[in-house]
Each structure stands twice: as structure tokens, then as C-alpha cells.
Amino acid sequence: TMMRAQLHCLCLLTLYLTAGYGQERKFSGPLKPMTFSIFEGQEPSQVIFQFKASPPAVTFKLTGETDGIFQIQPDGLLYHNKALDRETRAVHKLQVSTLDAYGATVEGPVPITIEVKDINDNRPTFLQPNYEGSVRQNSRPGKPFMYVNATDLDDPTTPNGQLIYEIIIQLPKVNDVMYFQINNKTGAISLTLEGSRELDPIKNPSYRLVVSVKDMGGQNDHSFSDSTSVNIMVKENIWKAPEPVEIVENSTDPHPIKITQVQWNEPGAQYSLVEKEKLSTLPFSIDQEGSIYVTQPLDREEKDSYVFYAVAKDEMGKPLAFPLQIRVKVKDINDNPPTCPSAVTVFEVQENEDIGSNIGTFIGHDMDEENTANSVLVYKIVDQIPKLPKEGLFLVQTYSGVVQLAGQSLKKQDTPQYNLTIEVSDKDFKTLCHVEINVIDINDQIPIFEKSDYGNLTLAEDTAVGSTILTIRATDTDEPFTGSSKILYRIIQGDSEGRLGIDTDPQTNTGYVIIKKPLDFETVAIHNIVFQAENPEPLVSGVHYNTSSSAKFKLIVTDVNEAPQFSQRIYQAKVREDVAVGTKVGNVTAKDPENLDISYSLRDNTRGWLKIDPVTGEIFTTAPLDREAESLYRVQVMATEVGGSSQSSIASFHLTLLDVNDNPPRLAKEYTGLFLCHPLHQEGTLIFEVTDDDQRSFPSPHFSYSLVSESSQNDWKVSRVNGTHAKLSTKHTNFEEGLYSVPIRISDGGRPPLEGVVSLPVTFCTCVEGHCFQPAGHQPGMPTVGMAVGILLATFLVIGIILAVVFIRIKKNEGKDTVESAQASEAQPLRN
């Protein structure tokens, strides 16, 4: 037995050393609390740690949650003799003690923790082999109506236990469109937007889905998976707008009164009403059963219909579906009596009118609903004052209200005025109205102008519209202030374009000729105008208008020099930016009202890109165009009269430049701070941005990238990230410290394609806290410390010499001044 134990210990030690656990600093040491992490599923007889005993301890003892898996050799070699299973026990709490030769505890027990690390050794499993669910048609897309669930015994904090759901089959699949979607993390199944629109229990009452679940986050080819079947019944949508409701106005029943109901597809919805129109108060309410009530009596004459919306929300206040439109029509009752058009309605009738002649139409009003029995009015004459020469001189049509002469012709000298009382009634109400009929003189006299010729009138063509240019007058000897004597003037000749009009003063019958439209010398220079004076009341038989009822005058329009007129205010054209110089890009036209010749010129031609033919108005390019400099080029075109007063007018010419691919790609900015930390331990990656000055393509530019030199291709690789960014990556880690310039060729994929070569500077340097660190050292052109000291001493020496020279010169000047002063004193004569 002793020999077998020694042999097993030797085998473990051999395995221990072979596995790399023989390094003292990593896999052996004194007894102290320790934690070890071991992957589950490893082969048995794996060494964990070599504990070392301190005298007088001679052996080790292991206790705790060994589960018959963990053992320790007398010399302190801790190992496990079976594969671990995290799903059985994730953490083992062990205790290790050292014993002396007599079995007494010397040290311990010391806690030793074994954490079992997970491996992907369990497949996910759905909780049910089949799921059953139902959904209403037109349910809100994205709102879950059922869930599928799967479990995985692996550690959920690692990718091994992270599950991803996916719908892999939908039957039937109409037009290859998915009607259902699943949240890949929660397993929540909901409708897609297409499913919300298209699901119909009549067409397809049920659907079958096959849902899969994968572990490893669905990103690993070695992940496990499971699948389940989901059967979904499609139920009819009961969230539908009700039929329009009719409510009788002015109801005396107790309110509120239920008028209709809406219902969401599932219980628990919260209902509310939303106005379509902004009303002071909405006379409707809804309860949490979806019942809609009218809360007060309605008046059709105040408002004859209402439109509002019913909204269903979930417990979080989010709408469950689109609102439903509720339409309410207020049904009319006969609650309004007829009304008279005015306090007294006045008609006129000429004497000697024929029996049956229409005198006028009397129209009553009723506020009840039109074209119903409630608003049908009946007319009846109930009184005539005076009743001379007899009663019943007038009648009224029962339903039209037309008043006619019935008994005999009238004489003004007998009775100049009659007063009628007309009864206006609907089916429930009656109203009495008053009509005054005036007998007027017959229209047997025509209007006669005070003169037949108003002479000549000269006006400039720019005379303001609305100006009164002439006053005319005719007289009529029929009864004043009646339709027989009222005069209306109209122009019957010389103004086919309607440039003139005539207003009449109703008190004096004076006519005022006014300008209604601008005069135009170039169109008509002389107007021979003829007026006609007429009465609104027809003339009696045998009497006709003649030349006495007409007059004339001549209107002479003088010319005013007007500026040329362009055919449009803004001219627009489009052209490619690479058109040849001299290409015609547009044309403008202007016309002078006086038919003078016109000369064209350009203004604000800031870039000098265009020129214009002064005679034809054709516009040409004079220089290469550049959309990147200016995509919409605006100039002003001036049209000037040749001769006359040289008046001019201006229009705008807008030239849109269409892009061509004439700019190679380039770096979006200058990159001077790109660096990678030296030495590299893994692939290094740098992101850079690219652009070009041409118009961006939609949805994004299509740049492609390649390395220029073969040496660069051995060290680097470049790839596209998105439409505007790319990444430069290293192919190995064997770079020396220093600056590398990486030439990259970029193609824009245009028509024709253009290429640009850019150089990307990358520095490999020692990094400190994620930043490039370059210690200051001696660089070419910089002095050493010795040189700096020498320069400093030389500087001090020069300064000292300069100060000494200055001091000596000052002393000399002072001595010289003293001598000169003394000499001057000796030469000066004495004065008494």
C-alpha cells in the first residue's frame, strides 16, 4: 500500500511538472486562504496547487465540500480526481489543515475556494414543445401578444447561457412577407407592420411558426440550439368604428344617455374621447366599459353634427391602436316657427300692368333642417288694405311665394299703395308678415342726355386706375325715385376691352366715367366711346330708346415712354459643370412697349463665367464652370432701350450647375496625431475619414481603398468601415519605434472614377496612461548642457565688455567738459 501511494504521488508530480505547475512563484507556496478557478469538464487528476508545510507540520488534511472529487497528498499537493460540473456545484468550499507527526493540527483549517468556470456543455431547451396563442387583426405592431421561453443550465453571465430567439419558418408566408416578429432576447412575439395591416381571419384563420433558440448569443458556429412550434389563431378585430349615430335634438329624457359603444380586443383598456374640433365643451363622455354617452340635450340649429375620436390606451398610457372616429348627427324636430325676411317687404307694380304679372317673390325663412317637412313653408294672403276697388286684387303662390296681380289693372290716382298680410306656415307654426305694394307710374318716358357729344378728352396712358375722367348726365320725367326714372349707364361702343366703367349717383342720376383697367397707347390710341342711358324698369309697349338716350365722346390716349418688359421675372437653366467654354446655356427675351430695339447686358457676373449676346439675349459660358465653387450661379440681366430715353428693366438668370466627378478623394482633415503603443501585443487599428468635393451620392459615397507600395502591403491592410470612414490595421506586431508614412490609394467609384493618393502618418511610441510618451533627448540643432553653459558665460563676458567701454567713455566726456569750462572762464572779460 505504501508503495502504491508513493507511485501515485510520483505520477501526480510528473503530471504537475508536465502541466507547468512546477514554477514556485505560481503553483506552490505556503498555506493561506486562496481561491482557484477551474473549467468544468477537464480530465481528472489535474493538479491545483502545491502547499508547503512549516515545521513541525509533516502532513496535510482536506475537509469541506470535496464531493469525493478533491484530494490532497500528505506533501500538500491539492488536485481533483474527477471532472468538475458547474451545474452540479458552482463553488466548492474546502478547508486545508497541517498536522504534526502525532496528528495534531499545527495550522488551519484554512479556507480554500474552488470556483468552477462554465463551458458550453448544455443545450438550450424550450419549456414547451408546442405553444398556442391568438392575436386580433389590426393589433398594434410591435406589441407582444405571447411569449416563448427556453432555459439553458450554463452560466447566464457568460455567452454560454445567453440565448437568442429567431423565427425560422412562417406558414403560410403570403407574398414572402413576414407577418410576425420576435424579440431575440425576450422571446416576445408580436405583429410586424405588414402583419398589422394584412392579417385577416377570413383569408387565413391560423398561422404556424417554427421558433429556434441558440446559445452563445447566436454568434458561434459551435452553439447549441433547440426549436419549438407556435400555433397562432387570428381573431376578428372588434376595435371598429361604430355606425354613425342620430340623436333627436332637444331631448327631454334624463341625461346622460348611452348612444353607442366601442370595445378593445382585450380587457383592461383605458378609454377616452378626443375632440376633432375645438369646442367650448364636448357634450359626450365615455366610461371604462367603452360606452359613449351624450351628456346634455343638443340643438341642431346650434350645431347639426359632431365628429370626435375614441382612444384606447394600455395601463402605461400608450395607445393600443389607431383612434376610432365617432360621427353623431343631430336629428331635426320642428321647433322653429317661420320668420319674415324683414319687418315690411316692399314691392312696386306699374299702373296698367296686365293681370297675372309677377310683382315680386316673398321668401320666408325657417331654421329647421332644409328639404324636410319641418322647413316646408306655405304662403297665404289673409288681409288686403285697402280693399279698393275690390278685395282679392293680389294672390301669392302657395309654395314659391311669388306675388301676382290677380283682380284687375291698377291706377295710381285711385290707390297709390296697398298693404298685404301674408301668413307663412309650416306643419306646426304660423307667422304673419307684412308686404307693402306701391303703384308707380308707367315707364313711358325714356332718359334723354343733356348733350349728345361730350367732345374730346386726352389722357396719358399711365393715368391711374380708378380716376374719374368725365361726368355725364341724362334726365327722365317718369315718377322720381322709381324704377321708371332711375337711370343706368353703359358703354355700347368703343371699349371692347372694358378699360372704362360708369358709376351712377342714385339721387341725381349723374354718371361718372372711371378708368377700370390701365390705358395702353400701343394697343388703342383713340377710343370713340358711345354711352346708352336706360331704366331698370321695362318701357311700356310701343315706347323705345332712341338716339336721345345715347351720347358720345372721343378718348385720345397719349404715349408715355415705358421700360422694356421681360417675358418672365426669373429665368432658370441647368448645365453640367464640365461644358465647353462658349456653350449656350440660356436665352432671355424682353419687349419694348414702344417697339424700340433692346440691348441686353449682364450685371453681378462676379465670377465672369457668362456673357450675353446684346441683340438676341442668348447667354453663353466664357470660362470653365465649377460646381464646387458655386452650385447655383445668379446673375442679373438688364434690357435697355436703344434710343428714346434709354429706359431699362432687370430680370434674374439662375444657372444650376450639375455635378461631374472632377475631384479626387482626399483626407477629410489633417492627421498628425495618429499613434500606436509600442510594442504591439495585438493587431493595431486606426480610423480615418475620407471625403471629396463633388456632390455626395445617395445614400453614401462608395470609396474603395488599397495600399500603394508592396512594402506597405506586407505591414498594413486597409478596409472600408462605412461611406466616409476606413480603418488602417497592422498585419503583424514587429514594428520599431518611430514614424511610418503609409501611402493609401482611394477611388471614389464615380463616372469616370477618380483616384487620390494620401499619406497617413502613424507613430509607434511608448505609451503612458494611453497617451504617446516621447522623452526629451538631444535633437539635432539643440545645444548640450556644456554648450549652454559656454554660451551663457560668453554672453556675460560680452555684456561686461560693453559696460566697461560705456563707463570709460562717460569718464572721458566728463574730463573734457571740465577743461572746456575752465578755458571758457579764463577768456571771459571782467565786468564792473
Side-chain angles (χ1 to χ4, degrees):
T1 303
M2 180 67 71
M3 185 176 295
R4 188 181 300 113
Q6 291 175 350
L7 182 61
H8 182 62
C9 180
L10 180 60
C11 291
L12 281 176
L13 182 59
T14 301
L15 178 62
Y16 174 71
L17 294 172
T18 303
Y21 291 95
Q23 302 176 36
E24 289 285 325
R25 67 183 180 87
K26 289 187 177 180
F27 306 109
S28 65
L31 181 62
K32 61 180 180 179
M34 299 184 74
T35 298
F36 300 96
S37 295
I38 303 174
F39 281 103
E40 64 175 331
Q42 291 187 359
E43 294 296 325
S45 301
Q46 294 287 328
V47 173
I48 301 173
F49 196 78
Q50 173 69 64
F51 291 105
K52 294 192 175 183
S54 299
V58 295
T59 187
F60 288 83
K61 177 182 177 182
L62 179 66
T63 58
E65 299 169 346
T66 62
D67 295 346
I69 298 174
F70 299 95
Q71 294 184 354
I72 192 167
Q73 292 293 327
D75 62 353
L77 189 66
L78 178 65
Y79 64 97
H80 61 89
N81 56 24
K82 295 180 183 178
L84 303 180
D85 184 9
R86 191 199 68 84
E87 288 71 42
T88 301
R89 190 189 296 271
V91 178
H92 293 262
K93 300 290 187 179
L94 308 179
Q95 294 86 37
V96 175
S97 305
T98 59
L99 308 176
D100 61 14
Y102 301 101
T105 300
V106 176
E107 188 178 0
V110 174
I112 304 297
T113 303
I114 307 294
E115 296 176 345
V116 184
K117 298 183 69 175
D118 187 46
I119 63 173
N120 192 26
D121 57 348
N122 292 278
R123 65 174 293 188
T125 305
F126 278 102
L127 299 183
Q128 299 175 215
N130 293 285
Y131 287 83
E132 303 287 337
S134 63
V135 62
R136 296 276 184 184
Q137 68 177 137
N138 304 126
S139 292
R140 185 156 59 95
K143 181 174 176 59
F145 61 86
M146 67 176 298
Y147 289 81
V148 295
N149 293 287
T151 59
D152 192 314
L153 296 177
D154 290 320
D155 188 354
T157 64
T158 68
N160 303 329
Q162 292 177 1
L163 305 183
I164 296 295
Y165 298 92
E166 181 184 9
I167 298 175
I168 56 177
I169 296 176
Q170 171 189 297
L171 297 175
K173 194 174 184 182
V174 182
N175 297 326
D176 201 34
V177 175
M178 291 296 292
Y179 289 165
F180 301 91
Q181 59 188 351
I182 190 168
N183 186 305
N184 63 359
K185 294 183 180 179
T186 65
I189 299 177
S190 61
L191 294 182
T192 63
L193 181 61
E194 293 81 4
S196 176
R197 293 172 178 170
E198 301 297 335
L199 279 187
D200 188 343
I202 298 177
K203 295 179 180 178
N204 289 300
S206 64
Y207 288 81
R208 178 172 174 264
L209 307 179
V210 176
V211 178
S212 74
V213 62
K214 289 184 178 181
D215 60 14
M216 302 296 290
Q219 302 299 316
N220 195 310
D221 293 338
H222 303 291
S223 59
F224 293 114
S225 65
D226 191 17
S227 61
T228 188
S229 177
V230 180
N231 296 314
I232 300 173
M233 297 296 297
V234 181
K235 297 181 179 180
E236 182 183 5
N237 178 26
I238 59 176
W239 179 249
K240 295 180 179 179
E243 294 295 321
V245 179
E246 281 195 353
I247 301 176
V248 176
E249 66 172 330
N250 297 322
S251 171
T252 58
D253 295 337
H255 286 72
I257 300 172
K258 180 177 177 180
I259 57 173
T260 188
Q261 185 169 12
V262 296
Q263 185 178 351
W264 176 241
N265 294 315
E266 305 295 341
Q270 300 177 359
Y271 300 101
S272 60
L273 298 182
V274 176
E275 299 178 51
K276 181 180 181 181
E277 311 164 272
K278 292 298 181 184
L279 304 175
S280 56
T281 57
L282 183 68
F284 302 96
S285 65
I286 188 170
D287 63 19
Q288 291 313 302
E289 300 298 323
S291 296
I292 299 176
Y293 300 87
V294 57
T295 58
Q296 65 188 47
L298 305 180
D299 185 355
R300 192 204 68 84
E301 287 71 42
E302 180 180 327
K303 187 170 178 59
D304 62 357
S305 66
Y306 294 84
V307 178
F308 53 93
Y309 295 94
V311 179
K313 297 182 179 180
D314 61 16
E315 63 279 359
M316 302 300 293
K318 294 182 178 180
L320 293 166
F322 300 107
L324 300 182
Q325 190 177 73
I326 311 298
R327 292 183 173 274
V328 176
K329 179 181 178 182
V330 184
K331 190 174 181 180
D332 186 47
I333 62 172
N334 191 24
D335 58 345
N336 290 280
T339 60
C340 304
S342 60
V344 177
T345 302
V346 178
F347 294 133
E348 290 182 346
V349 58
Q350 286 187 356
E351 59 181 348
N352 298 326
E353 282 274 4
D354 294 334
I355 295 175
S357 297
N358 292 344
I359 297 174
T361 301
F362 182 84
I363 300 176
H365 300 287
D366 194 309
M367 293 181 64
D368 290 317
E369 187 174 1
E370 293 183 5
N371 302 318
T372 66
N374 297 332
S375 60
V376 174
L377 300 182
V378 175
Y379 301 95
K380 177 183 176 183
I381 297 176
V382 296
D383 193 15
Q384 170 191 314
I385 300 175
K387 297 178 174 57
L388 297 175
K390 64 177 182 178
E391 195 171 5
L393 291 176
F394 307 93
L395 64 81
V396 62
Q397 296 290 339
T398 305
Y399 292 102
S400 67
V402 174
V403 179
Q404 296 175 293
L405 187 60
Q408 64 182 53
S409 297
L410 305 177
K411 294 292 185 179
K412 180 178 180 181
Q413 59 268 29
D414 295 338
T415 307
Q417 186 180 86
Y418 291 88
N419 292 289
L420 305 181
T421 300
I422 296 181
E423 177 186 273
V424 186
S425 61
D426 59 21
K427 64 177 186 177
D428 296 313
F429 298 97
K430 295 179 180 180
T431 302
L432 297 179
C433 299
H434 300 284
V435 176
E436 179 182 293
I437 299 178
N438 295 314
V439 182
I440 63 174
D441 185 22
I442 59 173
N443 190 14
D444 57 358
Q445 299 296 319
I446 63 172
I448 298 175
F449 272 100
E450 60 184 0
K451 56 184 176 179
S452 61
D453 190 344
Y454 283 86
N456 297 338
L457 180 62
T458 301
L459 295 175
E461 63 178 327
D462 62 352
T463 302
V465 172
S467 301
T468 299
I469 62 174
L470 182 65
T471 301
I472 60 177
R473 179 176 174 81
T475 58
D476 192 310
T477 58
D478 286 315
E479 183 179 356
F481 305 109
T482 67
S484 299
S485 62
K486 182 178 180 181
I487 298 177
L488 301 177
Y489 300 96
R490 64 187 181 95
I491 298 174
I492 61 175
Q493 185 178 319
D495 186 27
S496 58
E497 296 185 354
R499 298 181 185 275
L500 303 180
I502 305 176
D503 291 338
T504 304
D505 184 336
Q507 301 298 319
T508 64
N509 278 339
T510 301
Y512 301 97
V513 182
I514 62 171
I515 296 178
K516 291 172 57 180
K517 296 180 182 179
L519 303 176
D520 187 4
F521 171 82
E522 288 73 26
T523 303
V524 181
I526 298 176
H527 298 263
N528 293 303
I529 305 298
V530 178
F531 312 119
Q532 177 77 32
E534 300 174 346
N535 301 128
E537 194 72 35
L539 295 171
V540 298
S541 178
V543 178
H544 304 283
Y545 296 108
N546 56 36
T547 56
S548 298
S549 299
S550 62
K552 65 180 181 179
F553 86 100
K554 179 183 289 187
L555 175 61
I556 301 171
V557 181
T558 59
D559 186 29
V560 174
N561 191 17
E562 299 168 277
Q565 297 175 355
F566 280 97
S567 59
Q568 57 194 75
R569 190 171 61 87
I570 298 177
Y571 296 82
Q572 301 186 38
K574 294 181 180 180
V575 67
R576 287 167 54 97
E577 64 174 323
D578 62 346
V579 296
V581 174
T583 300
K584 178 182 174 181
V585 296
N587 192 85
V588 300
T589 56
K591 183 178 180 182
D592 185 71
E594 289 76 38
N595 290 322
L596 295 175
D597 291 336
I598 292 175
S599 175
Y600 300 97
S601 60
L602 295 182
R603 297 175 60 183
D604 297 334
N605 188 17
T606 54
R607 296 187 180 273
W609 284 352
L610 303 176
K611 69 176 181 179
I612 189 168
D613 188 305
V615 177
T616 65
E618 294 176 309
I619 299 175
F620 302 88
T621 62
T622 58
L625 307 179
D626 186 1
R627 189 203 67 83
E628 287 70 39
E630 195 161 353
S631 60
L632 179 62
Y633 191 55
R634 300 179 178 92
V635 296
Q636 290 186 327
V637 183
M638 178 180 288
T640 305
E641 298 176 333
V642 177
S645 57
S646 299
Q647 293 203 65
S648 62
S649 57
I650 292 176
S652 295
F653 180 75
H654 294 176
L655 181 62
T656 300
L657 303 185
L658 304 178
D659 189 46
V660 297
N661 194 31
D662 57 351
N663 289 277
R666 59 178 177 81
L667 293 175
K669 60 182 179 181
E670 184 178 359
Y671 288 91
T672 58
L674 297 178
F675 70 91
L676 293 171
C677 294
H678 183 274
L680 284 178
H681 298 292
Q682 60 184 5
E683 177 187 286
T685 298
L686 298 168
I687 303 296
F688 60 94
E689 184 180 0
V690 173
T691 187
D692 72 19
D693 296 316
D694 292 314
Q695 189 171 6
R696 287 288 181 94
S697 58
F698 183 83
S700 62
H702 296 283
F703 296 123
S704 58
Y705 308 86
S706 61
L707 294 167
V708 175
S709 64
E710 185 176 348
S711 60
S712 297
Q713 296 172 6
N714 295 330
D715 297 333
W716 305 88
K717 57 184 178 181
V718 63
S719 58
R720 184 177 184 270
V721 175
N722 55 31
T724 57
H725 290 75
K727 66 177 179 179
L728 178 67
S729 306
T730 61
K731 281 189 172 181
H732 57 79
T733 59
N734 300 323
F735 289 87
E736 296 182 357
E737 282 193 82
L739 176 65
Y740 290 77
S741 184
V742 184
I744 301 172
R745 180 182 291 108
I746 309 170
S747 176
D748 61 9
R751 296 181 184 177
L754 291 181
E755 293 183 348
V757 176
V758 301
S759 183
L760 205 62
V762 182
T763 302
F764 285 84
C765 58
T766 303
C767 290
V768 176
E769 295 182 356
H771 298 283
C772 186
F773 174 72
Q774 294 179 321
H778 176 63
Q779 299 181 10
M782 292 186 63
T784 62
V785 174
M787 293 172 62
V789 172
I791 292 170
L792 185 62
L793 292 175
T795 301
F796 285 146
L797 179 60
V798 171
I799 293 172
I801 293 172
I802 292 172
L803 291 175
V805 171
V806 171
F807 180 76
I808 292 171
R809 290 182 64 86
I810 290 173
K811 286 295 185 181
K812 282 184 177 181
N813 289 337
E814 287 179 354
K816 184 178 179 180
D817 291 342
T818 304
V819 171
E820 290 177 352
S821 176
Q823 291 174 350
S825 299
E826 293 174 358
Q828 186 174 357
L830 297 177
R831 295 178 181 273
N832 293 327

